[in-house]
Amino acid sequence: MNNSTEFGTQPGIAEEAAPSYPWPPPRVRFGAGALCFNQGAVNALARAERVTIYVNDNGQMLIVRPSEGNDVPGAEWVHRTGACVRPKAILSSPFVQGLYARMGWRQECDYRAAGTAIQTHTGPILLFALHDTEASLCQYTAEKIPSFSLRA
C-alpha cells in the first residue's frame, strides 16, 4: 500500500479509506432571487434532472434531494446537452427572499454555503448549513459606503 500523495506521506492512512467525494465539493449561492448550485452538487446527486428543496424547521439547514417522478414538485436544476450536464440557476424570488428574512441576511449581498453529500436509505441528499455561510458580492450604493478621507 502506498500512502504517499503529492502533498507528502501520511502514515497510518490507507488509500482505500479516502472518501470518494464528488469534485468539486457541493456548494450553493443565494442571491438575486435565485439559488445556484455548482457542478459538485450536480455530480453528488447522480446528475438528477429535478430536485426538491427543503428547509428544516429551525431554518438552519437546506436539504436537497432528487425529485421522484411527476408526483413530487421539483425544480429543474441542470442544463443537459448530450452527455454534458451543467448546473442551472433555480429562479425563485419568494423562496430566496423568505430565506434571507429567516436568516437575517442583508439584501444587497449574495451568500455562499458549502454542502455535504449524504447517502440515505432513500438515496443521496445534499445538506447545506445555512448558519455557516459567507457573504459575497455585496452591492453597495453611494449612501451605504462608509465615508473616509485621505489626508496628506
Side-chain angles (χ1 to χ4, degrees), residues 5 11 19 29 43 57 62 68-69 77 79 85 95 108 111 119 122 132 137 140 144 152:
T5 65
R29 183 175 55 82
N43 294 346
D57 291 338
L62 185 81
E68 298 172 4
W77 79 321
H79 291 284
V85 179
F95 178 80
E108 68 272 8
Y111 289 85
Q119 185 65 37
T122 59
D132 190 23
L137 304 173
Y140 291 102
K144 293 182 181 178

Side-chain angles (χ1 to χ4, degrees), residues 50-54 65-76:
R50 300 176 71 76
V51 292
T52 305
I53 301 170
Y54 305 93
R65 72 175 340 128
S67 294
E68 298 172 4
N70 295 329
D71 297 335
V72 178
E76 215 174 286

Side-chain angles (χ1 to χ4, degrees), residues 55-63 99 102-103 127-133:
V55 178
N56 72 337
D57 291 338
N58 65 4
Q60 299 295 303
M61 193 70 67
L62 185 81
I63 303 159
L99 200 55
R102 179 179 249 177
M103 297 305 297
L127 299 175
F128 296 92
L130 298 177
H131 60 84
D132 190 23
T133 57

Side-chain angles (χ1 to χ4, degrees), residues 40-49 51 64-66 77 117-118 124-126:
V42 171
N43 294 346
L45 294 186
R47 301 172 181 245
E49 298 276 336
V51 292
V64 182
R65 72 175 340 128
W77 79 321
I118 304 226
I125 64 171
L126 297 175

